[in-house]
PDB file of all heavy atoms in Angstrom:
ATOM      1  N   LEU A 295      27.039 -22.831  10.272  1.00  0.00           N
ATOM      2  CA  LEU A 295      27.298 -21.400  10.473  1.00  0.00           C
ATOM      3  C   LEU A 295      27.933 -21.223  11.842  1.00  0.00           C
ATOM      4  O   LEU A 295      28.876 -20.357  11.994  1.00  0.00           O
ATOM      5  CB  LEU A 295      25.978 -20.616  10.394  1.00  0.00           C
ATOM      6  CG  LEU A 295      25.224 -20.660   9.093  1.00  0.00           C
ATOM      7  CD1 LEU A 295      24.098 -19.684   9.076  1.00  0.00           C
ATOM      8  CD2 LEU A 295      26.110 -20.346   7.922  1.00  0.00           C
ATOM      9  N   VAL A 296      27.554 -22.004  12.874  1.00  0.00           N
ATOM     10  CA  VAL A 296      28.183 -21.876  14.173  1.00  0.00           C
ATOM     11  C   VAL A 296      29.660 -22.302  14.049  1.00  0.00           C
ATOM     12  O   VAL A 296      30.533 -21.571  14.584  1.00  0.00           O
ATOM     13  CB  VAL A 296      27.447 -22.756  15.201  1.00  0.00           C
ATOM     14  CG1 VAL A 296      28.225 -22.865  16.511  1.00  0.00           C
ATOM     15  CG2 VAL A 296      26.035 -22.187  15.525  1.00  0.00           C
ATOM     16  N   ALA A 297      29.911 -23.368  13.353  1.00  0.00           N
ATOM     17  CA  ALA A 297      31.313 -23.808  13.151  1.00  0.00           C
ATOM     18  C   ALA A 297      32.144 -22.749  12.459  1.00  0.00           C
ATOM     19  O   ALA A 297      33.379 -22.630  12.684  1.00  0.00           O
ATOM     20  CB  ALA A 297      31.341 -25.157  12.409  1.00  0.00           C
ATOM     21  N   GLU A 298      31.524 -21.991  11.633  1.00  0.00           N
ATOM     22  CA  GLU A 298      32.157 -20.915  10.878  1.00  0.00           C
ATOM     23  C   GLU A 298      32.425 -19.668  11.719  1.00  0.00           C
ATOM     24  O   GLU A 298      32.892 -18.686  11.229  1.00  0.00           O
ATOM     25  CB  GLU A 298      31.421 -20.509   9.613  1.00  0.00           C
ATOM     26  CG  GLU A 298      31.299 -21.687   8.588  1.00  0.00           C
ATOM     27  CD  GLU A 298      32.564 -21.801   7.696  1.00  0.00           C
ATOM     28  OE1 GLU A 298      33.501 -21.022   7.848  1.00  0.00           O
ATOM     29  OE2 GLU A 298      32.543 -22.737   6.890  1.00  0.00           O
ATOM     30  N   GLY A 299      31.886 -19.746  12.943  1.00  0.00           N
ATOM     31  CA  GLY A 299      32.055 -18.580  13.882  1.00  0.00           C
ATOM     32  C   GLY A 299      31.085 -17.436  13.605  1.00  0.00           C
ATOM     33  O   GLY A 299      31.275 -16.339  14.167  1.00  0.00           O
ATOM     34  N   LEU A 300      30.033 -17.685  12.859  1.00  0.00           N
ATOM     35  CA  LEU A 300      29.020 -16.627  12.609  1.00  0.00           C
ATOM     36  C   LEU A 300      28.008 -16.610  13.732  1.00  0.00           C
ATOM     37  O   LEU A 300      27.565 -17.673  14.221  1.00  0.00           O
ATOM     38  CB  LEU A 300      28.329 -16.892  11.253  1.00  0.00           C
ATOM     39  CG  LEU A 300      29.243 -16.780  10.061  1.00  0.00           C
ATOM     40  CD1 LEU A 300      28.505 -17.270   8.837  1.00  0.00           C
ATOM     41  CD2 LEU A 300      29.755 -15.319   9.861  1.00  0.00           C
ATOM     42  N   PRO A 301      27.571 -15.421  14.182  1.00  0.00           N
ATOM     43  CA  PRO A 301      26.582 -15.397  15.274  1.00  0.00           C
ATOM     44  C   PRO A 301      25.202 -15.914  14.800  1.00  0.00           C
ATOM     45  O   PRO A 301      24.681 -15.437  13.780  1.00  0.00           O
ATOM     46  CB  PRO A 301      26.485 -13.878  15.644  1.00  0.00           C
ATOM     47  CG  PRO A 301      27.723 -13.258  15.002  1.00  0.00           C
ATOM     48  CD  PRO A 301      28.016 -14.078  13.807  1.00  0.00           C
ATOM     49  N   VAL A 302      24.672 -16.837  15.569  1.00  0.00           N
ATOM     50  CA  VAL A 302      23.364 -17.448  15.218  1.00  0.00           C
ATOM     51  C   VAL A 302      22.485 -17.438  16.457  1.00  0.00           C
ATOM     52  O   VAL A 302      23.004 -17.707  17.535  1.00  0.00           O
ATOM     53  CB  VAL A 302      23.528 -18.895  14.721  1.00  0.00           C
ATOM     54  CG1 VAL A 302      22.170 -19.422  14.235  1.00  0.00           C
ATOM     55  CG2 VAL A 302      24.568 -18.954  13.556  1.00  0.00           C
ATOM     56  N   GLY A 303      21.170 -17.182  16.311  1.00  0.00           N
ATOM     57  CA  GLY A 303      20.267 -17.356  17.387  1.00  0.00           C
ATOM     58  C   GLY A 303      19.067 -18.135  16.922  1.00  0.00           C
ATOM     59  O   GLY A 303      18.925 -18.398  15.687  1.00  0.00           O
ATOM     60  N   LEU A 304      18.209 -18.527  17.824  1.00  0.00           N
ATOM     61  CA  LEU A 304      16.912 -19.156  17.448  1.00  0.00           C
ATOM     62  C   LEU A 304      15.805 -18.205  17.854  1.00  0.00           C
ATOM     63  O   LEU A 304      15.943 -17.319  18.626  1.00  0.00           O
ATOM     64  CB  LEU A 304      16.792 -20.468  18.270  1.00  0.00           C
ATOM     65  CG  LEU A 304      17.766 -21.545  18.023  1.00  0.00           C
ATOM     66  CD1 LEU A 304      17.450 -22.735  18.940  1.00  0.00           C
ATOM     67  CD2 LEU A 304      17.760 -21.980  16.558  1.00  0.00           C
ATOM     68  N   GLY A 305      14.657 -18.361  17.148  1.00  0.00           N
ATOM     69  CA  GLY A 305      13.519 -17.524  17.437  1.00  0.00           C
ATOM     70  C   GLY A 305      12.222 -18.360  17.488  1.00  0.00           C
ATOM     71  O   GLY A 305      12.111 -19.420  16.966  1.00  0.00           O
ATOM     72  N   GLN A 306      11.255 -17.705  18.143  1.00  0.00           N
ATOM     73  CA  GLN A 306       9.904 -18.454  18.267  1.00  0.00           C
ATOM     74  C   GLN A 306       9.149 -18.280  16.903  1.00  0.00           C
ATOM     75  O   GLN A 306       8.362 -19.122  16.575  1.00  0.00           O
ATOM     76  CB  GLN A 306       9.091 -17.801  19.357  1.00  0.00           C
ATOM     77  CG  GLN A 306       7.667 -18.177  19.485  1.00  0.00           C
ATOM     78  CD  GLN A 306       7.498 -19.625  19.901  1.00  0.00           C
ATOM     79  OE1 GLN A 306       7.841 -19.973  20.994  1.00  0.00           O
ATOM     80  NE2 GLN A 306       6.857 -20.441  19.038  1.00  0.00           N
ATOM     81  N   ASP A 307       9.397 -17.201  16.212  1.00  0.00           N
ATOM     82  CA  ASP A 307       8.807 -16.902  14.906  1.00  0.00           C
ATOM     83  C   ASP A 307       7.265 -16.594  15.036  1.00  0.00           C
ATOM     84  O   ASP A 307       6.908 -15.410  14.928  1.00  0.00           O
ATOM     85  CB  ASP A 307       9.018 -18.070  13.928  1.00  0.00           C
ATOM     86  CG  ASP A 307       8.728 -17.692  12.430  1.00  0.00           C
ATOM     87  OD1 ASP A 307       8.440 -16.495  12.258  1.00  0.00           O
ATOM     88  OD2 ASP A 307       8.839 -18.538  11.583  1.00  0.00           O
ATOM     89  N   ASP A 308       6.462 -17.564  15.264  1.00  0.00           N
ATOM     90  CA  ASP A 308       5.042 -17.308  15.288  1.00  0.00           C
ATOM     91  C   ASP A 308       4.448 -18.009  16.544  1.00  0.00           C
ATOM     92  O   ASP A 308       4.896 -19.059  16.987  1.00  0.00           O
ATOM     93  CB  ASP A 308       4.338 -17.850  14.038  1.00  0.00           C
ATOM     94  CG  ASP A 308       4.817 -17.100  12.777  1.00  0.00           C
ATOM     95  OD1 ASP A 308       4.309 -15.998  12.539  1.00  0.00           O
ATOM     96  OD2 ASP A 308       5.710 -17.620  12.092  1.00  0.00           O
ATOM     97  N   VAL A 309       3.298 -17.441  17.008  1.00  0.00           N
ATOM     98  CA  VAL A 309       2.545 -18.044  18.076  1.00  0.00           C
ATOM     99  C   VAL A 309       1.080 -18.067  17.630  1.00  0.00           C
ATOM    100  O   VAL A 309       0.435 -16.987  17.441  1.00  0.00           O
ATOM    101  CB  VAL A 309       2.678 -17.284  19.369  1.00  0.00           C
ATOM    102  CG1 VAL A 309       1.739 -17.852  20.481  1.00  0.00           C
ATOM    103  CG2 VAL A 309       4.118 -17.289  19.917  1.00  0.00           C
ATOM    104  N   GLU A 310       0.550 -19.226  17.353  1.00  0.00           N
ATOM    105  CA  GLU A 310      -0.855 -19.412  17.011  1.00  0.00           C
ATOM    106  C   GLU A 310      -1.367 -18.393  16.036  1.00  0.00           C
ATOM    107  O   GLU A 310      -2.231 -17.541  16.344  1.00  0.00           O
ATOM    108  CB  GLU A 310      -1.718 -19.323  18.321  1.00  0.00           C
ATOM    109  CG  GLU A 310      -1.412 -20.477  19.286  1.00  0.00           C
ATOM    110  CD  GLU A 310      -2.175 -20.277  20.599  1.00  0.00           C
ATOM    111  OE1 GLU A 310      -3.347 -19.830  20.584  1.00  0.00           O
ATOM    112  OE2 GLU A 310      -1.623 -20.680  21.623  1.00  0.00           O
ATOM    113  N   ASP A 311      -0.811 -18.467  14.795  1.00  0.00           N
ATOM    114  CA  ASP A 311      -1.221 -17.588  13.741  1.00  0.00           C
ATOM    115  C   ASP A 311      -1.312 -18.396  12.435  1.00  0.00           C
ATOM    116  O   ASP A 311      -1.261 -19.604  12.419  1.00  0.00           O
ATOM    117  CB  ASP A 311      -0.394 -16.334  13.613  1.00  0.00           C
ATOM    118  CG  ASP A 311       1.074 -16.678  13.195  1.00  0.00           C
ATOM    119  OD1 ASP A 311       1.311 -17.792  12.729  1.00  0.00           O
ATOM    120  OD2 ASP A 311       1.951 -15.746  13.273  1.00  0.00           O
ATOM    121  N   ALA A 312      -1.495 -17.665  11.323  1.00  0.00           N
ATOM    122  CA  ALA A 312      -1.756 -18.396  10.057  1.00  0.00           C
ATOM    123  C   ALA A 312      -0.497 -19.204   9.624  1.00  0.00           C
ATOM    124  O   ALA A 312      -0.571 -20.000   8.754  1.00  0.00           O
ATOM    125  CB  ALA A 312      -2.105 -17.399   8.931  1.00  0.00           C
ATOM    126  N   TYR A 313       0.670 -18.965  10.233  1.00  0.00           N
ATOM    127  CA  TYR A 313       1.868 -19.663   9.876  1.00  0.00           C
ATOM    128  C   TYR A 313       2.215 -20.861  10.754  1.00  0.00           C
ATOM    129  O   TYR A 313       2.889 -21.747  10.343  1.00  0.00           O
ATOM    130  CB  TYR A 313       3.087 -18.670   9.970  1.00  0.00           C
ATOM    131  CG  TYR A 313       3.040 -17.565   8.998  1.00  0.00           C
ATOM    132  CD1 TYR A 313       2.280 -16.430   9.254  1.00  0.00           C
ATOM    133  CD2 TYR A 313       3.689 -17.631   7.768  1.00  0.00           C
ATOM    134  CE1 TYR A 313       2.236 -15.371   8.399  1.00  0.00           C
ATOM    135  CE2 TYR A 313       3.618 -16.566   6.898  1.00  0.00           C
ATOM    136  CZ  TYR A 313       2.918 -15.450   7.201  1.00  0.00           C
ATOM    137  OH  TYR A 313       2.834 -14.412   6.331  1.00  0.00           O
ATOM    138  N   TYR A 314       1.720 -20.858  11.991  1.00  0.00           N
ATOM    139  CA  TYR A 314       2.125 -21.846  13.005  1.00  0.00           C
ATOM    140  C   TYR A 314       1.081 -21.968  14.041  1.00  0.00           C
ATOM    141  O   TYR A 314       0.695 -20.969  14.643  1.00  0.00           O
ATOM    142  CB  TYR A 314       3.512 -21.448  13.492  1.00  0.00           C
ATOM    143  CG  TYR A 314       4.143 -22.401  14.482  1.00  0.00           C
ATOM    144  CD1 TYR A 314       4.562 -23.667  14.049  1.00  0.00           C
ATOM    145  CD2 TYR A 314       4.327 -22.094  15.829  1.00  0.00           C
ATOM    146  CE1 TYR A 314       5.152 -24.551  14.927  1.00  0.00           C
ATOM    147  CE2 TYR A 314       4.965 -22.954  16.701  1.00  0.00           C
ATOM    148  CZ  TYR A 314       5.351 -24.173  16.281  1.00  0.00           C
ATOM    149  OH  TYR A 314       5.982 -25.088  17.138  1.00  0.00           O
ATOM    150  N   PRO A 315       0.521 -23.152  14.362  1.00  0.00           N
ATOM    151  CA  PRO A 315      -0.585 -23.256  15.257  1.00  0.00           C
ATOM    152  C   PRO A 315      -0.237 -23.358  16.741  1.00  0.00           C
ATOM    153  O   PRO A 315      -1.113 -23.465  17.546  1.00  0.00           O
ATOM    154  CB  PRO A 315      -1.299 -24.560  14.777  1.00  0.00           C
ATOM    155  CG  PRO A 315      -0.165 -25.371  14.220  1.00  0.00           C
ATOM    156  CD  PRO A 315       0.871 -24.436  13.649  1.00  0.00           C
ATOM    157  N   PHE A 316       1.063 -23.472  17.043  1.00  0.00           N
ATOM    158  CA  PHE A 316       1.423 -23.694  18.457  1.00  0.00           C
ATOM    159  C   PHE A 316       2.267 -22.486  18.961  1.00  0.00           C
ATOM    160  O   PHE A 316       2.312 -21.473  18.337  1.00  0.00           O
ATOM    161  CB  PHE A 316       2.380 -24.984  18.524  1.00  0.00           C
ATOM    162  CG  PHE A 316       1.738 -26.122  17.787  1.00  0.00           C
ATOM    163  CD1 PHE A 316       2.563 -26.801  16.829  1.00  0.00           C
ATOM    164  CD2 PHE A 316       0.444 -26.601  18.030  1.00  0.00           C
ATOM    165  CE1 PHE A 316       2.070 -27.909  16.141  1.00  0.00           C
ATOM    166  CE2 PHE A 316      -0.045 -27.681  17.302  1.00  0.00           C
ATOM    167  CZ  PHE A 316       0.772 -28.315  16.365  1.00  0.00           C
ATOM    168  N   GLY A 317       3.003 -22.743  20.014  1.00  0.00           N
ATOM    169  CA  GLY A 317       3.939 -21.727  20.556  1.00  0.00           C
ATOM    170  C   GLY A 317       3.538 -21.257  21.872  1.00  0.00           C
ATOM    171  O   GLY A 317       2.357 -20.789  22.119  1.00  0.00           O
ATOM    172  N   ARG A 318       4.455 -21.295  22.846  1.00  0.00           N
ATOM    173  CA  ARG A 318       4.232 -20.814  24.230  1.00  0.00           C
ATOM    174  C   ARG A 318       5.180 -19.674  24.582  1.00  0.00           C
ATOM    175  O   ARG A 318       5.358 -19.340  25.709  1.00  0.00           O
ATOM    176  CB  ARG A 318       4.417 -21.906  25.216  1.00  0.00           C
ATOM    177  CG  ARG A 318       3.472 -23.106  24.941  1.00  0.00           C
ATOM    178  CD  ARG A 318       3.608 -24.195  26.023  1.00  0.00           C
ATOM    179  NE  ARG A 318       5.007 -24.677  26.099  1.00  0.00           N
ATOM    180  CZ  ARG A 318       5.560 -25.094  27.203  1.00  0.00           C
ATOM    181  NH1 ARG A 318       4.892 -25.078  28.396  1.00  0.00           N
ATOM    182  NH2 ARG A 318       6.825 -25.541  27.135  1.00  0.00           N
ATOM    183  N   HIS A 319       5.849 -19.125  23.571  1.00  0.00           N
ATOM    184  CA  HIS A 319       6.982 -18.183  23.762  1.00  0.00           C
ATOM    185  C   HIS A 319       7.990 -18.741  24.785  1.00  0.00           C
ATOM    186  O   HIS A 319       8.371 -18.036  25.721  1.00  0.00           O
ATOM    187  CB  HIS A 319       6.470 -16.825  24.160  1.00  0.00           C
ATOM    188  CG  HIS A 319       7.409 -15.758  23.754  1.00  0.00           C
ATOM    189  ND1 HIS A 319       7.375 -14.512  24.191  1.00  0.00           N
ATOM    190  CD2 HIS A 319       8.486 -15.795  22.865  1.00  0.00           C
ATOM    191  CE1 HIS A 319       8.347 -13.743  23.630  1.00  0.00           C
ATOM    192  NE2 HIS A 319       9.009 -14.548  22.817  1.00  0.00           N
ATOM    193  N   SER A 320       8.347 -20.003  24.580  1.00  0.00           N
ATOM    194  CA  SER A 320       9.309 -20.624  25.408  1.00  0.00           C
ATOM    195  C   SER A 320      10.522 -20.975  24.457  1.00  0.00           C
ATOM    196  O   SER A 320      10.394 -21.820  23.587  1.00  0.00           O
ATOM    197  CB  SER A 320       8.779 -21.952  25.975  1.00  0.00           C
ATOM    198  OG  SER A 320       9.854 -22.763  26.399  1.00  0.00           O
ATOM    199  N   LEU A 321      11.640 -20.297  24.763  1.00  0.00           N
ATOM    200  CA  LEU A 321      12.773 -20.582  23.908  1.00  0.00           C
ATOM    201  C   LEU A 321      13.496 -21.893  24.242  1.00  0.00           C
ATOM    202  O   LEU A 321      14.086 -22.491  23.348  1.00  0.00           O
ATOM    203  CB  LEU A 321      13.844 -19.368  24.061  1.00  0.00           C
ATOM    204  CG  LEU A 321      13.643 -18.200  23.100  1.00  0.00           C
ATOM    205  CD1 LEU A 321      14.084 -18.588  21.726  1.00  0.00           C
ATOM    206  CD2 LEU A 321      12.264 -17.736  23.056  1.00  0.00           C
ATOM    207  N   LEU A 322      13.259 -22.382  25.489  1.00  0.00           N
ATOM    208  CA  LEU A 322      13.699 -23.748  25.758  1.00  0.00           C
ATOM    209  C   LEU A 322      12.944 -24.734  24.946  1.00  0.00           C
ATOM    210  O   LEU A 322      13.547 -25.767  24.476  1.00  0.00           O
ATOM    211  CB  LEU A 322      13.619 -24.057  27.260  1.00  0.00           C
ATOM    212  CG  LEU A 322      14.718 -23.547  28.190  1.00  0.00           C
ATOM    213  CD1 LEU A 322      14.390 -23.849  29.630  1.00  0.00           C
ATOM    214  CD2 LEU A 322      16.079 -24.186  27.806  1.00  0.00           C
TER     215      LEU A 322
END
Side-chain angles (χ1 to χ4, degrees):
L295 298 188
V296 170
E298 296 281 356
L300 295 170
V302 184
L304 297 177
Q306 171 70 63
D307 196 3
D308 294 282
V309 174
E310 296 175 35
D311 66 12
Y313 295 83
Y314 183 65
F316 314 125
R318 300 184 302 148
H319 209 195
S320 161
L321 270 288
L322 276 176

